[in-house]
Amino acid sequence: MSTVTWITARGLFGRSRFLMLLPLPLILIGLAVLCRALGVDPGQWGPPVLVGLGLAVVLPVVALIVGTGVLGAEIDDGTVVHILTKPLPRWQIVLPKLVVAAGVSAVTVGVPIYVAGVLADSVRLGLALVAASAAGALAYSALFLALSLVTRRPVLLGLVYVLIWEGLLGRFVTGTRVLSIQQWVIALADRMAPTPLLGTTVSVPVAAVLTALVAVGFTVLAIDRLRSFSVAGETS
């Protein structure tokens, strides 16, 4: 597993797509610092920056880029053959890649969201956002990793979920929020650091249970899907 983890991390950091992770977190920090420097009331800039940008855009987009890349890119360029020919159980391939994807996503999002949370409210809120974002990164990564094994267009389907389901429908159709990872992250963060800057209709128990179910369920799906791959890198 350590070998697969190392190969995955090296491949991820060696690809140009890793550079795509940097602009959004930098924008998040920049906006938070600017608003704080200008003396804008946190009640005015907190929700749109922390939730509207941080949790609704930066977190899912970073997880999408990383989650679909840790295995999907290897399938596209054919290098997955080298992994599939090794006498390893498929779970020993999927789990290290999930750990790398979730870890990189959590760190990439955690640093700017912590800074923004501290500037908007307190250290407690910053830490709560980091912890909740880490849970969300795991759920998103499992979902997007599974999509990379289910379809040839995982990024497109991932964007449909993030932009249409979570973004559009989640804003206007209250009932869809219960199936939104974004709303689960908000609920968890608000429970750890109650603040008027965060708000959701999803309860904490529902958020915690569904986050765990998505993480486990899509990981199992990814393992099962990888078992159907032949050495040629295509489903049999």
Side-chain angles (χ1 to χ4, degrees), residues 136-180:
L138 178 60
Y140 276 123
S141 296
L143 169 61
F144 297 142
L145 175 60
L147 283 180
S148 70
L149 291 167
V150 171
T151 176
R152 292 183 180 274
R153 295 179 175 83
V155 174
L156 177 59
L157 290 181
L159 287 175
V160 168
Y161 173 74
V162 172
L163 298 179
I164 297 181
W165 183 268
E166 291 194 331
L168 185 60
L169 295 179
R171 179 176 300 179
F172 298 107
V173 184
T174 306
T176 62
R177 295 176 184 174
V178 73
L179 296 179
S180 168

Side-chain angles (χ1 to χ4, degrees), residues 197-214:
L197 300 179
L198 304 175
T200 180
T201 57
V202 179
S203 68
V204 174
V206 169
V209 170
L210 290 181
T211 299
L213 287 177
V214 165

Side-chain angles (χ1 to χ4, degrees), residues 1-7 96:
M1 290 182 65
S2 59
T3 302
V4 176
T5 302
W6 166 246
I7 292 175

Side-chain angles (χ1 to χ4, degrees), residues 10 19 24 32 37 49 64 69-70 130 135 155 205 208 213 232:
R10 185 179 62 182
L19 297 177
L24 286 175
V49 172
L64 177 62
V70 290
V130 170
V155 174
L213 287 177

Side-chain angles (χ1 to χ4, degrees), residues 50-51 54-56 59-60 109 113 128-140 166 177 180-192 198-200 202-204 207-208 211:
L50 296 177
V51 178
L55 300 183
L59 174 58
V109 177
I113 202 71
L129 288 170
V130 170
S133 295
L138 178 60
Y140 276 123
E166 291 194 331
R177 295 176 184 174
S180 168
I181 297 175
Q182 173 197 141
Q183 295 298 319
W184 305 342
V185 172
I186 295 173
L188 294 175
D190 191 47
R191 175 64 179 83
M192 289 182 279
L198 304 175
T200 180
V202 179
S203 68
V204 174
T211 299

Side-chain angles (χ1 to χ4, degrees), residues 24-230:
L24 286 175
L26 292 177
I27 291 174
L28 177 59
I29 293 178
L31 286 176
V33 171
L34 180 61
C35 291
R36 181 63 180 265
L38 294 176
V40 181
D41 182 7
Q44 295 181 350
W45 68 265
V49 172
L50 296 177
V51 178
L53 178 59
L55 300 183
V57 178
V58 179
L59 174 58
V61 170
V62 167
L64 177 62
I65 294 172
V66 178
T68 58
V70 290
L71 191 53
E74 295 176 354
I75 295 174
D76 292 339
D77 60 25
T79 56
V80 70
V81 172
H82 300 294
I83 298 178
L84 294 177
T85 54
K86 296 181 181 297
L88 292 174
R90 293 305 185 240
W91 67 267
Q92 290 189 14
I93 297 175
V94 171
L95 288 186
K97 291 184 175 296
L98 176 60
V99 169
V100 171
V104 170
S105 299
V107 172
T108 304
V109 177
V111 174
I113 202 71
Y114 172 78
V115 173
V118 171
L119 293 177
D121 188 80
S122 63
V123 172
R124 180 181 179 185
L125 177 59
L127 293 175
L129 288 170
V130 170
S133 295
L138 178 60
Y140 276 123
S141 296
L143 169 61
F144 297 142
L145 175 60
L147 283 180
S148 70
L149 291 167
V150 171
T151 176
R152 292 183 180 274
R153 295 179 175 83
V155 174
L156 177 59
L157 290 181
L159 287 175
V160 168
Y161 173 74
V162 172
L163 298 179
I164 297 181
W165 183 268
E166 291 194 331
L168 185 60
L169 295 179
R171 179 176 300 179
F172 298 107
V173 184
T174 306
T176 62
R177 295 176 184 174
V178 73
L179 296 179
S180 168
I181 297 175
Q182 173 197 141
Q183 295 298 319
W184 305 342
V185 172
I186 295 173
L188 294 175
D190 191 47
R191 175 64 179 83
M192 289 182 279
T195 172
L197 300 179
L198 304 175
T200 180
T201 57
V202 179
S203 68
V204 174
V206 169
V209 170
L210 290 181
T211 299
L213 287 177
V214 165
V216 173
F218 281 101
T219 300
V220 171
L221 174 62
I223 295 172
D224 181 70
R225 185 64 175 175
L226 192 60
R227 288 196 183 104
S228 67
F229 271 61
S230 65

